[in-house]
Each structure stands twice: as C-alpha cells, then as structure tokens.
Amino acid sequence: MNYGIVGWAIGRVLWVEASLMIFPVAVALIYREAPINAWSFLITMVLLVICGALLGRKKPVIDKLYTKEGLVITGLSWVVLSFFGALPFFISGQIPSLVNALFETASGFTTTGASILTDVEALTHSMLFWRSFTHLIGGMGILVFTMAILPRMGDDTVHIMKAEVPGPVFGKIVSKTGSTARILYIVYLGMWALTVLFLMLGGMPLFDSMLHGFGAAGTGGFGIRNGSIFPYNSAYIEMVLSIAMILFGVNFNLYFFLLAGNWKAVFKNEELRWYLAIIAGAIVFISYNLKDLYGPLTERLRHVFFTVSSIITTTGFTTVDYATWPMQTHIILLLLMFVGAMAGSTAGGLKVSRIGILAKNALSELRRVREPKRTLVVRYENRAVMKSVTDSVLKYLVIYCIVFWGLVLLVSPDVPNFVSSFSAVAATFNNIGPGLGMVGPIYSYNDFSDFSKVVLTIGMIAGRLEIYPILLLFMKHTWKRY
C-alpha cells in the first residue's frame, strides 16, 4: 500500500468538501438565519482544511496509483466525507445525534434518500440546502468532481474512476481521465440546470426547484417538505421530475455521443433499450393491477409513471403511499429496486447491463443443455461478451447476495417482520430510500437503533460504490506497505 498517495488524494478531497460548504454558508446569510448555522459550516470547513493539510500537504515522491490504492482512496473518501458532512447538522443541534446526522449525510452523498427525520420542514434553509446538495455532489461522484477540477491528480486516477462510476465495465470517453471527468460533470450540471428551469416554469419557487433538481440529478430523493412531492399537487411538476429521473438514470456516456452527433451509437445501445422496456413493462403491469384503485386512467398513469421512474432510478421521491397498493405491485417495485437503472448513471441497484448479461448467459446455458455439442456465444451490445466479464458479473452477484443477507441478519432484531428488514436493506443497499413496511414512503428510519443505523450507513456506502472498495478496507492484506 502506498500510504503517501492515499493520504495526499484524500487530503485533496477534504479540501474540495470544505470549498463546497461555502454554498450553504451563503444560504444561511441570505435567509438571515441564526449565527450558529453559518458557524457550524465554518467550523467544519476549518477542520476539513486542517485535516486535508495534514494528510496531503505535499504530493509523495512515489505517486504511482494502482487499482488497490484507487479502491482504498474511494472507500475511505466516502467514509470521511460522510463523517465531516454530518458535523454541521450535529454542531448546529438540528440533528442532535451524531449517528443520526451521519446516517442522513451518508444517505445524501450516496443518493439514497433514506431519512431519520420525522419533520423535515423543521430544518433551516441552509441545512435543507446542504442536505440536498449532497445528492448533487455524490450523484456523479465527489472523486470524479475532484479529478475534473484538479487534473494534476494524473491519468492514473482511472483506477479511482473505475471504483466510483457504477457498472460492470468502465470506459473513458476521451483519452485522458481528467478530461472525461470534466465532460461528464458539464453534461451533469447542464441537465440539472434544465431541470431547475422546467420546475420553475411549473410554478415551483427557485429554492425548491434547485433542491428538487439536486435530488433528481443525483437520483437521491430527499424531499424538503413533509410528504415529499405530494404537497405540490401538480401533474406538470410530477411529469418534469419523472422524465428527469429517467434521463439521469441513463449512462452519461450516451449524452456525450449525442453532443458529438453520434446518434447511431445511442439508438443502438442495447442497455438503453432494456432500460426503457423494463420501465414500460412495469408501468403497464402496475397500471392494470391498480384499475380498481384509481378512477380515471390519466390519474392512474400519473401516479404509476412517477413511482416507477422514482423506484427504478433509485431516487425515492414519492407522491402516493404505494404501500397501500396490491401485493403484486409490491413485488414489481421490489424487483425494480434491485434492477436499478443503467451503468454509468447516478442511480443505484445492480444495473440493467448486469441484468442483461445475466439473462443472456442463463438463456445460453439452457440452450447448451439442449444442444451440448453446439458452440454458443453470449452477445451484448452487438459484440461477444468476454468470459472475464461474465465471470465478473456472476462473482459480483454472489458477493452482492452474501453482503445483502448479512445486512438483513444484522438489522432484523430491530424490526417487527421480515418485510420491514428485507425492505430496509433493499432500500438502503440499493440507494433507494423509502421501502415497504416500517420504512414505507410515509415513515422514516428514526425508530432503528444506533447499531442498525450504522449498519445501514455502511450498506448505503457499500451499495453506492458497488461493494468492493468498502470490503477491501476490512481486509488485512490491504494495508501491507509496499
């Protein structure tokens, strides 16, 4: 382990977090809040600058970055970012429990949207801003952002980007990793700005539009009013957010291809077709099952389209209590929670690409049983899938299942039934937020013990980083010095 480069990189990340806290300080001053709110951010900023200086004052002589260092930097960065990001809530007293503040902040950075708050409207504007702003930061990835503004980190940071950008396969869209990061963030922020504009055109105030734009862009789902999106009671706002969530669930590389005029690469993308087909199929199936629950078809489609968009993109915004829907719809929604959106997007879950590869591999095995002498090749995205990719997907699924059920076992003593424990882990590990049972859309995670909240916090970070960077932190050989 090259401790020097790990400390230097994390130090830079801490400085970036310190600089980003300028925005909630400005919000506190604009809304003339009590001084403690601005000071809680300023104190945290000082701590971040000091810790960043101690860790990474000088770039090490041996600055080579390998896969292990990339994974460790990614895992540790998300842990320390969540901890320091929680301090303003704790110092200001608006979330007096440090464990609760850590849970809320990790939920924000991982774009989960799970909350311990029972009255979100009790928070001040600056705290609401920071809470939702973490979605925007974490959506594309704080380390990707750091690489975008600090190109001196070098092109070896491809190992960091691989660890932070979700999906079974990572590919740069231009030759240099720093340039790729900048392009992705320009597209990301541009789409966020358009979302804010369209929400304002629907009558939503600027502050509300910005924060809901943060949630849609990061596919996070923190609401700023009790009842999430329901209090706005606007079909237009719901439609804008539904479309925005689906668009942010698309692989951002495809938007680069669109800007470059390569429309063919977009429309031929197999994962995109799977993604849209799953959304359409879920909407049709759930709408049919709700035919006796809602009167007009338009009202039914409005609620189903929003809910499906929110669940498959692992955003977590809500307009209705879908826990009251029939059991068949719960099964579909749970499946959508596990599927997630496309690789290379801001969403969580297993990712559509993995599901596609697994499905095609399963069909290939069935054909092989029927015709054992026939040579079969699994094809995805118009090319043969290498055995190494298939093996990687299968191994990830095994590790995913082991970690998932381990988390269920750890939190089960805290909940009254299996549905609640299973759903709580599914909603946090897949970075969704609300689930079913005691963590349904009208409830919070406040009733869990501190132990379970810490477990679910680790689960959120592990799910956002696709497990490996967090697991590596607990392995002894990881810390062996070169």
Side-chain angles (χ1 to χ4, degrees):
M1 172 63 64
N2 185 346
Y3 286 96
I5 193 65
V6 170
W8 181 83
I10 293 176
R12 292 298 186 274
V13 171
L14 294 180
W15 284 348
V16 169
E17 185 177 26
S19 65
L20 291 172
M21 286 190 180
I22 292 173
F23 295 104
V25 171
V27 172
L29 296 176
I30 290 171
Y31 284 93
R32 299 181 179 180
E33 296 175 0
I36 185 62
N37 294 324
W39 275 108
S40 64
F41 288 104
L42 292 171
I43 292 169
T44 306
M45 289 168 68
V46 171
L47 292 174
L48 284 165
V49 171
I50 293 172
C51 292
L54 292 174
L55 285 171
R57 182 179 59 181
K58 184 178 179 182
K59 191 170 183 179
V61 177
I62 303 175
D63 60 356
K64 196 67 178 174
L65 188 64
Y66 297 101
T67 301
K68 183 166 73 173
E69 282 82 7
L71 292 169
V72 169
I73 288 169
T74 303
L76 284 178
S77 292
W78 280 75
V79 172
V80 297
L81 283 169
S82 298
F83 173 77
F84 282 104
L87 292 182
F89 294 115
F90 179 66
I91 294 171
S92 67
Q94 296 196 38
I95 301 182
S97 165
L98 184 58
V99 172
N100 282 352
L102 178 62
F103 181 95
E104 197 78 11
T105 308
S107 179
F109 276 122
T110 59
T111 71
T112 301
S115 179
I116 51 83
L117 298 173
T118 55
D119 182 12
V120 66
E121 294 179 29
L123 293 182
T124 59
H125 285 84
S126 60
M127 295 300 163
L128 283 173
F129 181 91
W130 176 244
R131 179 174 175 263
S132 292
F133 191 44
T134 55
H135 282 334
L136 189 75
I137 300 168
M140 187 61 70
I142 183 64
L143 294 163
V144 174
F145 178 76
T146 303
M147 287 185 284
I149 64 173
L150 294 175
R152 288 180 300 168
M153 290 185 75
D155 205 45
D156 285 339
T157 49
V158 66
H159 299 299
I160 294 178
M161 206 163 178
K162 283 180 180 179
E164 194 174 45
V165 177
V169 179
F170 167 77
K172 294 187 290 184
I173 54 179
V174 292
S175 59
K176 290 189 175 293
T177 310
S179 299
T180 296
R182 284 191 289 277
I183 291 170
L184 289 176
Y185 250 99
I186 289 170
V187 173
Y188 180 56
L189 294 176
M191 290 175 61
W192 165 76
L194 285 175
T195 301
V196 173
L197 175 62
F198 279 108
L199 288 173
M200 291 179 64
L201 291 175
M204 185 180 279
L206 173 61
F207 182 80
D208 296 30
S209 298
M210 290 178 64
L211 269 58
H212 285 103
F214 293 156
T219 59
F222 271 153
I224 64 171
R225 297 176 66 177
N226 299 326
S228 189
I229 307 300
F230 174 76
Y232 295 96
N233 193 27
S234 168
Y236 172 83
I237 288 173
E238 291 173 21
M239 183 61 65
V240 169
L241 287 173
S242 297
I243 294 172
M245 288 185 288
I246 291 174
L247 291 177
F248 281 103
V250 172
N251 189 325
F252 273 77
N253 287 358
L254 298 186
Y255 294 124
F256 174 78
F257 294 145
L258 281 177
L259 292 174
N262 190 359
W263 293 69
K264 188 177 179 181
V266 176
F267 292 118
K268 283 194 171 185
N269 186 271
E270 189 172 356
E271 186 182 15
L272 179 61
R273 295 199 298 270
W274 278 70
Y275 174 56
L276 297 177
I278 291 171
I279 292 173
I283 290 172
V284 170
F285 183 88
I286 294 177
S287 296
Y288 177 78
N289 274 270
L290 297 182
K291 63 183 184 298
D292 298 326
L293 193 59
Y294 296 105
L297 177 62
T298 52
E299 182 187 5
R300 197 188 325 161
L301 288 174
R302 169 185 168 183
H303 294 312
V304 173
F305 181 49
F306 186 92
T307 302
V308 169
S309 301
S310 180
I311 294 295
I312 194 170
T313 59
T314 68
T315 304
F317 283 139
T318 58
T319 57
V320 292
D321 183 8
Y322 53 75
T324 62
W325 290 1
M327 180 60 67
Q328 282 183 312
T329 64
H330 293 174
I331 295 172
I332 297 300
L333 293 177
L334 278 172
L335 289 174
L336 294 178
M337 289 181 187
F338 284 97
V339 171
M342 294 177 65
S345 70
T346 60
L350 283 167
K351 305 298 180 298
V352 173
S353 56
R354 284 198 181 95
I355 300 299
I357 292 171
L358 287 169
K360 288 197 168 188
N361 192 60
L363 289 173
S364 176
E365 287 299 315
L366 288 174
R367 294 194 191 102
R368 190 173 287 115
V369 170
R370 186 181 61 195
E371 305 172 69
K373 293 184 179 181
R374 184 179 175 185
T375 302
L376 298 171
V377 178
V378 177
R379 299 189 66 82
Y380 190 77
E381 299 289 6
N382 296 317
R383 58 180 179 268
V385 179
M386 293 186 295
K387 188 177 184 300
S388 60
V389 174
T390 304
D391 289 346
S392 174
V393 170
L394 290 171
K395 290 173 184 175
Y396 179 80
L397 181 62
V398 171
I399 294 173
Y400 176 95
C401 291
I402 292 172
V403 174
F404 180 88
W405 286 109
L407 294 173
V408 171
L409 183 65
L410 289 172
V411 302
S412 58
D414 252 3
V415 294
N417 52 58
F418 173 75
V419 170
S420 294
S421 60
F422 183 90
S423 179
V425 174
T428 51
F429 194 42
N430 292 315
N431 305 137
I432 296 159
L436 298 170
M438 67 178 288
V439 294
I442 63 172
Y443 300 105
S444 74
Y445 289 74
N446 189 54
D447 292 335
F448 283 87
S449 67
D450 284 351
F451 173 77
S452 291
K453 287 171 186 173
V454 171
V455 169
L456 293 175
T457 298
I458 295 171
M460 286 188 284
I461 298 174
R464 170 60 179 83
L465 301 179
E466 303 205 325
I467 305 173
Y468 295 122
I470 297 301
L471 285 184
L472 204 64
L473 299 181
F474 295 95
M475 297 180 180
K476 184 178 180 181
H477 74 271
T478 300
W479 307 102
K480 185 177 179 181
R481 190 182 295 272
Y482 290 139

